[in-house]
Amino acid sequence: MTPTWRKPFGMFVILALILVWVVIVASFSGVVARWQPLLQLGFYGVTGMIWIAPLKPLLAWMETGRWR
């Protein structure tokens, strides 16, 4: 097997997605800080798991070269 460019490129895409997601979530921190602690926990818990959803097709593409 010869190495492909997909894995290094995909790694940088994953890092970029994480960075963008962190900036988006952090931009809401002023609003979320005024919420009740349990609501804050729920918000950060949900947003902490949502970013994983786009990774499945990206990881599949990195491994196979196909999006499905």
Side-chain angles (χ1 to χ4, degrees):
M1 294 184 73
T2 60
T4 66
W5 58 272
R6 286 190 313 265
K7 288 186 181 182
F9 180 75
M11 183 177 57
F12 287 116
V13 171
I14 289 171
L15 292 174
L17 282 172
I18 292 171
L19 178 65
V20 168
W21 189 247
V22 166
V23 169
I24 290 170
V25 172
S27 70
F28 290 106
S29 65
V31 175
V32 175
R34 293 189 292 261
W35 295 356
Q36 296 293 325
L38 285 177
L39 287 175
Q40 290 179 28
L41 178 67
F43 174 78
Y44 289 119
V46 169
T47 57
M49 288 190 273
I50 286 177
W51 70 272
I52 297 171
L55 290 185
K56 184 175 180 181
L58 180 60
L59 291 171
W61 173 79
M62 287 170 61
E63 286 294 322
T64 64
R66 294 180 309 239
W67 288 103
R68 293 181 184 190

